[in-house]
Amino acid sequence: MVDRLANSEANTRRISIVENCFGAAGQPLTIPGRVLIGEGVLTKLCRKKPKARQFFLFNDILVYGNIVIQKKKYNKQHIIPLENVTIDSIKDEGELRNGWLIKTPTKSFAVYAATATEKSEWMNHINKCVTDLLSKSGKTPSSEHAAVWVPDSEATVCMRCQKAKFTPVNRRHHCRKCGFVVCGPCSEKRFLLPNQSSKPVRICDFCYDLLSTGDMSSGQPTRSDSYSQSLKSPLNDVSDDDDDDDSSD
């Protein structure tokens, strides 16, 4: 089915419309063999609060951006190669329902659909696209993924020392290796994580010690279900970063 659509006028027209919605700031999306599988609005769990984002699933990439005018204009385009993607379902809890993790070596995050049916459709289509890509390329699924950041609202104190309280002066930071919310003194070190940046990035002391000894197999937290608290408390904590996708700390 995908192969038949690849060279169709309807598919070319649909992809052109998506390109136009992102405007000159977006990357060109039309290439031979690319097919737009589907699109829709998903709620992405950002650093400070959940936000609606427009997602486009192609047969080889996943594209998303901020909604400026629904179906007319989007910005801050992000392109994720599907061959690097793995997805995991998230259990429903409270107001956070119908969610799953999108995990890649460079960036990982949680998204939520409006209904269970929509979640199932998204996950099935993504999995099929990834499987087809890997089958054609002969590559194996990626085994390394960036940590999903714990939302700011889940941590009133440093998740490592368990002592430092966050205030307008004592700001929140995120460890790029484990995703925990940590204080400045617990995350003064930098370490090169090539999949995430060409420069050394902030990591907590705990992860630094493990990385320095080459022992990341022990003591690493499992965080597949760590997002369910983010809507349970008022989102009025102070953070040093923008809650959009490319926070610096």
Side-chain angles (χ1 to χ4, degrees):
M1 179 66 175
V2 170
D3 291 337
R4 291 203 304 270
L5 288 172
N7 298 315
S8 71
E9 290 185 10
N11 178 64
T12 301
R13 185 166 58 251
R14 291 176 68 201
I15 295 178
S16 177
I17 291 173
V18 176
E19 287 182 333
N20 291 336
C21 286
F22 278 105
Q27 296 294 315
L29 299 173
T30 302
I31 64 170
R34 177 168 289 164
V35 175
L36 178 58
I37 305 296
E39 62 182 271
V41 177
L42 298 174
T43 298
K44 180 178 179 290
L45 196 56
C46 298
R47 176 168 182 170
K48 288 185 180 179
K49 62 182 179 181
K51 291 187 175 183
R53 296 287 185 256
Q54 184 73 27
F55 280 77
F56 301 91
L57 176 62
F58 296 83
N59 60 329
D60 62 334
I61 58 174
L62 183 66
V63 178
Y64 70 93
N66 295 6
I67 301 170
V68 180
I69 303 174
Q70 182 61 47
K71 295 186 181 297
K72 291 185 178 181
K73 186 176 181 180
Y74 311 109
N75 63 15
K76 296 189 178 180
Q77 182 191 71
H78 296 262
I79 300 177
I80 302 173
L82 282 179
E83 66 178 10
N84 296 328
V85 168
T86 58
I87 57 176
D88 290 326
S89 181
I90 303 174
K91 294 179 181 179
D92 291 345
E93 187 171 344
E95 296 180 51
L96 288 170
R97 306 180 66 82
N98 311 314
W100 67 98
L101 300 180
I102 296 175
K103 302 190 296 183
T104 79
T106 57
K107 186 180 183 65
S108 301
F109 53 90
V111 293
Y112 296 85
T115 66
T117 299
E118 187 179 341
K119 169 186 174 177
S120 178
E121 290 177 348
W122 271 101
M123 292 190 71
N124 288 339
H125 284 305
I126 291 173
N127 275 328
K128 186 178 187 311
C129 288
V130 173
T131 299
D132 289 346
L133 277 173
L134 294 176
S135 176
K136 290 179 180 178
S137 67
K139 296 180 180 179
T140 56
S142 177
S143 59
E144 183 176 348
H145 305 105
V148 183
W149 285 15
V150 175
D152 283 0
S153 59
E154 289 190 21
T156 56
V157 299
C158 174
M159 297 177 72
R160 285 305 183 195
C161 69
Q162 300 290 323
K163 296 178 181 178
K165 292 184 178 181
F166 296 121
T167 68
V169 176
N170 189 32
R171 304 180 300 174
R172 289 172 172 80
H173 302 278
H174 275 84
C175 171
R176 299 308 196 272
K177 185 61 183 177
C178 67
F180 276 18
V181 184
V182 291
C183 63
C186 284
S187 60
E188 292 179 340
K189 296 182 175 67
R190 300 290 190 273
F191 200 92
L192 182 62
L193 301 176
N195 284 328
Q196 296 190 38
S197 175
S198 60
K199 299 179 180 179
V201 294
R202 179 188 295 271
I203 60 173
C204 66
D205 292 347
F206 177 81
C207 288
Y208 182 85
D209 290 341
L210 292 179
L211 286 166
S212 297
T213 58
D215 183 21
M216 286 306 296
S217 60
S218 62
Q220 272 301 94
T222 300
R223 301 200 45 259
S224 292
D225 300 312
S226 63
Y227 321 103
S228 57
Q229 301 299 317
S230 62
L231 291 180
K232 292 183 178 180
S233 58
L235 297 170
N236 57 359
D237 295 321
V238 177
S239 169
D240 59 323
D241 295 326
D242 187 351
D243 59 342
D244 274 326
D245 301 287
D246 295 315
S247 301
S248 59
D249 284 333

